[in-house]
Amino acid sequence: MNGIAANDTLNIRAEPNASSPKLGSYPPFAINIEMLRVSEDAKWGMIGMSEGNGWVAMRYLKVTPNDTSYTISRPLNCSGTEPFWALNMTPRGTEFTELGASRIDLKDISEAVAQPGSLAKFEEGPTKIYTLMLEPAQCSDRMSDREFGFTGRVFIEAPDGNRYLRGYCTMGATR
């Protein structure tokens, strides 16, 4: 972020204007703020929040272009519905959960990036492989007003049968 004092915050607004109600804020040194789209005048950017979307002033953000030299940003939170599942990548590790089941800690195996998407592989024990396919695309969970900046697909290879899960992903913690 640019121009935010150490003791200040970047306000998240309900609409793309400074007089709109404040929905939340980012701390002064926040990183990986996921921009869903930019206003017509390019002064405001829409970001995702836990149950909806908000707007932040672009003049305070340092935009970094997508390129093929990056790794997948952490934290990255992916989830889906029908069935409900979540795959969360953090600097400390990766975990997978499904509704009604215990959390599974996964071992990171590899990552690869090729525009426009990326791929990450994880293992659960010696015989189960999880492959996350990530692609920038605006999408929805179809249950809230929240928009997401990435589609996420998880292919699970297992001796008792393979599975394919569809979902959505967001960088960083949801606000």
Side-chain angles (χ1 to χ4, degrees):
M1 291 199 311
N2 294 319
I4 305 287
N7 62 349
D8 203 356
T9 60
L10 174 62
N11 291 326
I12 303 169
R13 302 284 181 178
E15 298 294 329
N17 66 66
S19 61
S20 180
K22 182 179 167 183
L23 301 176
S25 63
Y26 282 108
F29 302 107
I31 61 171
N32 295 336
I33 296 175
E34 180 181 327
M35 194 66 48
L36 299 172
R37 67 174 154 266
V38 177
S39 63
E40 286 183 27
D41 62 7
K43 293 182 180 180
W44 293 86
M46 179 188 274
I47 55 97
M49 300 177 65
S50 59
E51 289 298 321
N53 301 301
W55 294 87
V56 295
M58 292 295 292
R59 70 177 178 238
Y60 297 113
L61 298 179
K62 179 182 177 187
V63 179
T64 55
N66 290 334
D67 64 34
T68 57
S69 64
Y70 76 96
T71 58
I72 297 172
S73 295
R74 285 166 174 74
L76 179 77
N77 303 302
C78 299
S79 54
T81 57
E82 309 294 334
F84 288 92
W85 62 271
L87 188 144
N88 298 308
M89 297 172 66
T90 71
R92 285 183 244 133
T94 302
E95 61 186 37
F96 181 81
T97 56
E98 289 186 272
L99 185 64
S102 299
R103 181 189 80 202
I104 300 165
D105 291 321
L106 301 176
K107 179 182 174 190
D108 294 16
I109 299 174
S110 65
E111 289 182 27
V113 177
Q115 285 305 318
S118 48
L119 179 96
K121 287 192 170 215
F122 315 95
E123 68 181 4
E124 174 193 346
T127 61
K128 203 168 190 180
I129 303 294
Y130 295 69
T131 302
L132 170 66
M133 295 155 282
L134 184 67
E135 184 175 358
Q138 287 191 5
C139 55
S140 167
D141 61 8
R142 294 174 288 195
M143 295 178 66
S144 70
D145 292 330
R146 167 78 157 92
E147 290 183 37
F148 296 85
F150 299 89
T151 59
R153 308 288 191 253
V154 176
F155 189 90
I156 303 170
E157 298 173 74
D160 59 349
N162 299 334
R163 295 177 48 215
Y164 183 81
L165 303 171
R166 297 172 191 242
Y168 39 87
C169 302
T170 185
M171 296 186 320
T174 54
R175 304 284 321 150

